[in-house]
Every structure is written in C-alpha cells, then in structure tokens.
Amino acid sequence: MKEDKMGRLFRNGLKRETETIGVSDFLKTRIDMEITARQEERTMRKKIHFKRYIAAAACVCLLVPAGIFAGGKVSSYVSSTNGADYKTSTDWKDLDKMEKRAGIETDAVESFSNGYQYKEISNSAFNALDDEGNKMFKEKELGVTYENNDGEILNCYMRQADERVTDDRTPDATADYDGVTVNYYQETYKFVPEDYEKTAQDKAMEAAGGYYVSFGTDEIEEMQSMSVSWEKDGVAYSIQGFDTDLTPQEMLSMAGEMIQG
C-alpha cells in the first residue's frame, strides 16, 4: 500500500461517523477496510500476500459508534494495540490454541463441500472505550480465511456471543439447521474519494437500508457484500465475502455444514 493511502485509511478510521447505530456499523467498518484491501489486490499481489495486506489494514484502526452496545455507555470500538492479541497461522493444527486465545470453542471447518478451503487462521482483539477514551472491556475474535480454486475469498469471524451487541438489520433470507437460525444479508458498498458528494440517490438508498457509502479510495467502486450470521453454544459466527458467485442458499448451506458438523 502506498504510504499516502495508508495515512488516509488511518485518518478515515479515526473520523468516520455514521447516522444509524447498530451492529451493522461494526461490520461496515471491518468491510470498509477489506474493500480497500481488495481494491489494491491487483497491484499488491506481486509484493505481498493479499491476506497479509488485509491484516496490515485491519491493524491500523477500527473505530465504531457506541450504539452497537446496549445501554449506550461505549463510545468507540478500536483495534487492540497489543501485538500479542494479533496472531496468524497457516497450519490448521493451530486452531485449538487459537481458539483458546479467543476464549471460545468453535465449529470451524477445514473445508466446505463447495470447494472453499482454509488459507489462514487469525486472532485479533478490539477494545470498547467510553467517552473519555477509557477501556471498558476487550472483545476477542477468531478468524478463518477460506479460498476456492477461482481465488474467491470468504472470511469467517467467530467470537463469544455478547448480549450487549444487537443486530437491527432485516435478513434477506433465513434457514434453520438443528434449531439454529441462520440469517443471510446482501448489502451494497460504494467506495468513493474523500471529495465525493453524496447524490440524492445515494441518500435515498442509504435511508432504505442495505446500502453504504464509504470514503477513502481514489476512484468510485461498488461491491456486493454477502454474509450469513448465527449464534450457537454461546459463540457468534459470521461468514462474509464480496461479489461471489454463491447464491443465498449456498451460503446458508455453508453455515449449515458448520452447525451440523
């Protein structure tokens, strides 16, 4: 990544605010950074592995509005600066110890029947801060990156379920596996330069929901985010990807594979 763009990403992470509050804001901020990484993939692939690039971007800054937590006492959610909180591995045998770091036991799978196979496992952590910047608690997360033969990437995020986090989104589809409800979401992300002015259509689509305008790239680009999420045995799961060829049912089925083992 060019130094000036990394700087812009850092500044944008610090100043980004949203008008609506919910768990989707947390997902949106993470997705913003992954979109930035995806846009640089073509030029960065020759210099550095794409997933390493995403990891670098994710470590810069993650700032999220307070309202994703019930009670409204948390004002921001930022990536932990403790290097010990961030670990990666390409050895599936490390899953157990990385689960222990995250404080959870998961249903993570090494591969799916549709050809997606794990590429990397990662640990990360985020701190919840109050209005004065004081740390209130830490949220630990375990991630698994999957890739198919066509190079399409999916990210699975797992963390301890937290009743302070609420999701106000309306799913586009749902499925039930062994009594566990899985929600599917499809949302549009429009990445734009810093001097971009939202159009009337942008504002109308944002108000309708499932459409987000994010600032910080050199040119305008739209991407479709597809994701599924669920909770089981005290663990919250999410699988997310961009512009994939997967249908809603195929993504729901991937969740089903994890749930049913």
Side-chain angles (χ1 to χ4, degrees), residues 173-186:
T174 62
D176 184 278
Y177 298 96
D178 294 342
V180 176
T181 299
V182 181
N183 295 319
Y184 169 84
Y185 304 94
Q186 182 165 331

Side-chain angles (χ1 to χ4, degrees), residues 35-108:
I35 290 175
T36 302
R38 180 62 60 89
Q39 289 174 324
E40 294 291 331
E41 178 181 6
R42 298 182 184 89
T43 57
M44 293 299 296
R45 190 178 290 276
K46 295 181 180 179
K47 300 179 180 179
I48 183 172
H49 191 280
F50 179 42
K51 285 292 112 182
R52 292 286 188 269
Y53 176 87
I54 286 181
C59 286
V60 175
C61 179
L62 179 60
L63 179 61
V64 180
I68 64 172
F69 298 101
K73 296 181 179 179
V74 179
S75 63
S76 60
Y77 205 48
V78 300
S79 60
S80 170
T81 57
N82 185 351
D85 289 329
Y86 186 77
K87 300 289 184 180
T88 64
S89 174
T90 57
D91 189 344
W92 188 253
K93 294 179 181 178
D94 288 335
L95 177 65
D96 287 345
K97 68 181 181 182
M98 298 187 83
E99 284 181 330
K100 290 179 181 178
R101 287 195 184 104
I104 54 178
E105 293 184 8
T106 75
D107 295 327

Side-chain angles (χ1 to χ4, degrees), residues 41 45 53 60 114 157 163 167 179 205 214 227:
E41 178 181 6
R45 190 178 290 276
Y53 176 87
V60 175
N114 60 8
Y157 304 106
E163 63 182 7
D167 194 340
M205 293 179 69
S214 298
S227 65

Side-chain angles (χ1 to χ4, degrees), residues 15-26:
K15 71 182 181 181
R16 184 177 291 116
E17 296 180 352
T18 57
E19 296 175 358
T20 58
I21 302 299
V23 71
S24 55
D25 297 316
F26 174 81

Side-chain angles (χ1 to χ4, degrees), residues 2 27 75 137 197:
K2 295 180 180 179
L27 299 175
S75 63
F137 59 87
E197 293 187 9

Side-chain angles (χ1 to χ4, degrees), residues 9 22 28 57 100 118-119 151 173 183 205 211 242:
L9 177 61
K28 175 182 178 299
K100 290 179 181 178
Y118 94 95
K119 299 295 291 184
N183 295 319
M205 293 179 69
Y211 180 89
F242 297 105

